Amino acid sequence: MLKLENVNTHYGKIQALHDISIDVKAGEIVTLIGANGAGKTTLMMTICGDPRASSGTILFDNEDISSVPTAQIMRKGLAVVPEGRRVFSRLTVQENLHMGAYFRSNAEYEESLAEVLELFPRLEERISQRAGTMSGGEQQMLAIGRAMMSRPRMILLDEPSLGLAPIIIQQIFSIIEKLRDDGVTIFLVEQNANQALRIADRGYVMENGRVVLSDTGEALLTNPEVRKAYLGG
Amino acid sequence: MGKLYNAIFSAGITFVLACLMIGVKLDTDGATLGVTGATPEQWAWIFGGIALVFFSQLFSDQIDAAFRKIPKPQVSHLIPVGDKMTQLKPWLMAGVFVCMVIWPFMVSRGSVDLATLALIYIMLGLGLNIVVGLAGLLDLGYVAFYAVGAYTYALLSQYFGLSFWVCLPISAGMAALFGFILGFPVLRLRGDYLAIVTLGFGEIIRILLNNWTAVTGGPNGISGIAKPTLFGMEFSRKSKEGSTLFHEFFGIDYSSSHKVIFLYLIAVVLVAFVIYVINRLMRMPIGRAWEALREDEIACRSLGLNRTAIKLSAFTIGASTAGFAGSFFAARQGFISPESFTFIESAIILAIVVLGGMGSQIGIILAAIIMTILPELAREFSEYRMLLFGLTMVLMMRWRPQGLVPMKRPVLELK
């Protein structure tokens, strides 16, 4: 569904990504793990077109999107939950969700709203509350819900567990699995390797802007190198 | 100890500044320049001021505590909420509108004139509110669009004899066009940089109007701009040729106040129109997108919104409102010159938006009324107008930093 071939990305003269090739098939959860500064977020942003890949191709549904404007990419059935939640803090939960369905008709909006609220009952309780007054976990749910409002076929999640309590992280991850069961393809960038690999079908490990390992989630969980580097032995 | 040091430091600064600005003066004594000191009376004032600064710094905690004791007005409980409000709202709106229409027939000409001015500022405030309050783009050159609107009408009326009603939409369109042209290169800037560039643009327009003497008349301005007509009826005592006069048509005696009231009523209608349109826009997805963009640009982009288009639409619509106000201003004054469009106008409009509460329409209407009527009431202090202006701003920011009537959002009620 999403295919990156030999993608290189530069920030000015500094090369952040080296020859990245990644393949995400429809209906999978694919996770990308790596240390800070490995280039995980850069890779995610490159898929969205900011920064642009300096070479290589990015195929989404067999269409090259490496030179399509960001705003257009995000309307093609791809949704992204950016790092650090980034909800519109002074808008209400409902308005936040409405922003997610900006390019869709009212009927479609109502339909998606019902689905998202079913997925996150907590958001329904807080529908007319300002997003900034909610807890971190609720904001993360809102961020995922907002991305789901556009009915994407694929969703990119950038560190959804950032700054959350273990029990909330578990909730978030079980929701991610549920999304996959509903037929959404998921590309998950995570620091929390243990949790991420457990639900992932396949995983990639990044180091210094390169993909150094790729295998199934289970195999990576038991891989001694990965265990040493990310899982604490 | 820290307090004492702080107080001495502040007093020292005050002393240095006061000595430089008031303490010594340059005077021309025949052909030579002489330095004269301040009079004993002035020195007394200076030292009085220094003492004031010293003690207010020394006892700042106590003063703050006293300030906090002043009760903050709670207006929120005066406004009914929920179902009651939705029921009451249309009646309330209709009531206000009827009062606005009847009111001028009962008061003096001067107050109607002042109310018209207040209405112009309401229009400007509402327009800038879109740009600053909703979209969060700090625009310090808003007066440029006001000037574009005013000059569009003045020039079209002077050179082509077009009527006010034809020029009104053209002026709004011209201002919008200028907003669009300016917005295109400028909107990739943010915050302070945007403020500086728009400030520059405001000055460019003013200087252009001042120097393009062949077309705009330069500093002399344009005079004799045609007044608005009511279905072709004029409001003057004698008709030029062929045109009908208002008082003749209705068979009433001529009164100069007819014209003033007519202008006022046009302003009321224009303001009602602007409020209606902006209200609709705020409820549309585009209005929410403006606010979302102010909150978080990256999140907006992640949702597939084109930030340039959204910013540009806010900028253009804001500018067109100023163009509207500008053409009405030109029609009301009958004379415009670049003098009317200096930076201070931009500052006043911005002050209205901040004072009223960014994003809040009621707040801005209130603030616009206060900002136009207060200077008139305080005529005796006209020399100290800017001083009072600054003082009001400082006090407001201390006492109610979110503005008079901050923008309201539905809040969760605990049942």
Side-chain angles (χ1 to χ4, degrees), chain B residues 60-123:
Chain B
S60 61
D61 284 344
Q62 286 87 332
I63 293 170
D64 274 356
F67 251 110
R68 243 171 268 132
K69 275 191 197 128
I70 301 173
K72 297 193 175 182
Q74 286 295 329
V75 275
S76 50
H77 68 265
L78 294 176
I79 306 165
V81 281
D83 292 344
K84 221 160 139 200
M85 189 62 195
T86 40
Q87 265 178 19
L88 226 61
K89 211 171 180 182
W91 294 103
L92 215 65
M93 300 272 269
V96 168
F97 192 76
V98 168
C99 284
M100 297 276 286
V101 171
I102 296 174
W103 176 77
F105 295 99
M106 298 187 282
V107 290
S108 72
R109 211 187 124 161
S111 19
V112 175
D113 216 33
L114 187 59
T116 316
L117 191 68
L119 287 168
I120 292 178
Y121 277 102
I122 290 176
M123 254 188 276

Side-chain angles (χ1 to χ4, degrees), chain A residues 50 70-71 74-75 80 82 86-92 95 98-100 102-103 125 128-130 146-147, chain B residues 285-286 288-289 291-296 298-306 310 407-412:
Chain A
D50 180 31
T70 303
M74 307 319 298
R75 297 179 208 172
V80 60
R86 294 193 174 271
V87 294
F88 304 119
S89 54
R90 273 190 282 180
L91 268 56
T92 65
E95 286 171 323
H98 205 160
M99 286 306 300
Y102 191 81
F103 296 100
E125 289 169 31
S128 52
Q129 189 175 333
R130 284 190 196 211
R146 187 179 62 189
Chain B
I286 182 78
R288 208 168 294 126
E291 286 186 71
L293 198 71
R294 179 193 64 197
E295 296 288 309
D296 199 318
I298 290 179
C300 265
R301 302 186 67 198
S302 84
L303 298 173
L305 273 65
N306 185 340
I310 291 169
M407 191 178 184
K408 267 203 359 199
R409 293 213 162 274
V411 261
L412 188 77

Side-chain angles (χ1 to χ4, degrees), chain B residues 18-37:
Chain B
C19 281
L20 285 176
M21 291 188 195
I22 313 171
V24 283
K25 239 186 281 177
L26 280 179
D27 273 325
T28 41
D29 183 24
T32 54
L33 270 176
V35 179
T36 46

Side-chain angles (χ1 to χ4, degrees), chain B residues 196-327:
Chain B
I196 293 291
V197 174
T198 50
L199 177 67
F201 177 70
E203 286 301 288
I204 288 171
I205 292 285
R206 191 178 61 82
I207 292 166
L208 181 78
L209 293 175
N210 237 330
N211 289 292
W212 199 6
T213 332
V215 176
T216 65
N220 294 333
I222 300 172
S223 56
I225 302 165
K227 298 275 181 205
T229 55
L230 177 70
F231 299 113
M233 287 182 284
E234 282 181 35
F235 283 84
S236 48
R237 188 183 288 275
K238 292 220 171 66
S239 75
K240 277 173 220 153
E241 63 249 18
S243 57
T244 348
L245 293 179
F246 176 76
H247 65 280
E248 280 175 357
F249 185 82
F250 284 99
I252 45 177
D253 287 337
Y254 173 74
S255 157
S256 59
S257 64
H258 285 161
K259 188 167 75 189
V260 178
I261 292 175
F262 178 60
L263 280 170
Y264 166 83
L265 290 177
I266 294 178
V268 170
V269 171
L270 288 183
V271 166
F273 174 73
V274 166
I275 290 178
Y276 176 75
V277 169
I278 292 178
N279 244 316
R280 299 303 303 186
L281 282 171
M282 276 167 71
R283 276 169 176 65
M284 273 163 64
I286 182 78
R288 208 168 294 126
W290 290 335
E291 286 186 71
L293 198 71
R294 179 193 64 197
E295 296 288 309
D296 199 318
E297 269 194 30
I298 290 179
C300 265
R301 302 186 67 198
S302 84
L303 298 173
L305 273 65
N306 185 340
R307 67 185 154 165
T308 319
I310 291 169
K311 280 184 182 178
L312 211 51
S313 69
F315 217 65
T316 310
I317 291 172
S320 73
T321 315
F324 233 61
S327 76

Side-chain angles (χ1 to χ4, degrees), chain A residues 120-153:
Chain A
F120 301 102
R122 184 62 77 80
L123 293 183
E124 186 159 24
E125 289 169 31
R126 307 192 172 252
I127 193 82
S128 52
Q129 189 175 333
R130 284 190 196 211
T133 62
M134 299 198 304
S135 75
E138 288 163 343
Q139 288 188 23
Q140 186 64 58
M141 291 179 194
L142 177 58
I144 297 175
R146 187 179 62 189
M148 290 305 297
M149 286 298 288
S150 63
R151 274 266 181 100
R153 283 167 292 140

Side-chain angles (χ1 to χ4, degrees), chain A residues 2-185:
Chain A
L2 180 75
K3 198 167 190 176
L4 280 79
E5 281 165 1
N6 303 324
V7 170
N8 289 288
T9 300
H10 293 76
Y11 287 117
K13 279 184 181 160
I14 299 159
Q15 186 160 11
L17 298 181
H18 300 263
D19 280 328
I20 300 280
S21 297
I22 274 177
D23 189 14
V24 182
K25 296 192 182 67
E28 273 187 324
I29 296 183
V30 172
T31 183
L32 181 69
I33 57 173
N36 288 341
K40 303 187 299 295
T41 300
T42 304
L43 175 58
M44 179 85 97
M45 300 298 280
T46 304
I47 296 170
C48 300
D50 180 31
R52 295 227 163 269
S54 34
S55 65
T57 51
I58 303 168
L59 297 170
F60 181 65
D61 275 346
N62 297 322
E63 180 192 356
D64 188 2
I65 56 167
S66 53
S67 56
V68 177
T70 303
Q72 296 299 327
I73 296 174
M74 307 319 298
R75 297 179 208 172
K76 287 185 186 294
L78 187 71
V80 60
V81 180
E83 188 177 0
R85 306 192 268 276
R86 294 193 174 271
V87 294
F88 304 119
S89 54
R90 273 190 282 180
L91 268 56
T92 65
V93 170
Q94 189 171 18
E95 286 171 323
N96 264 280
L97 291 175
H98 205 160
M99 286 306 300
Y102 191 81
F103 296 100
R104 313 186 68 218
S105 71
N106 266 339
E108 285 174 316
Y109 158 71
E110 298 287 346
E111 211 176 299
S112 305
L113 185 67
E115 279 174 20
V116 167
L117 292 181
E118 196 190 339
L119 200 61
F120 301 102
R122 184 62 77 80
L123 293 183
E124 186 159 24
E125 289 169 31
R126 307 192 172 252
I127 193 82
S128 52
Q129 189 175 333
R130 284 190 196 211
T133 62
M134 299 198 304
S135 75
E138 288 163 343
Q139 288 188 23
Q140 186 64 58
M141 291 179 194
L142 177 58
I144 297 175
R146 187 179 62 189
M148 290 305 297
M149 286 298 288
S150 63
R151 274 266 181 100
R153 283 167 292 140
M154 178 167 182
I155 187 164
L156 311 177
L157 294 158
D158 198 349
E159 297 210 23
S161 70
L162 189 75
L164 299 181
I167 183 146
I168 308 287
I169 295 179
Q170 261 173 18
Q171 280 180 27
I172 298 277
F173 275 97
S174 66
I175 286 164
I176 294 171
E177 283 192 287
K178 209 161 155 191
L179 286 180
R180 190 256 318 264
D181 297 340
D182 290 346
V184 184
T185 311

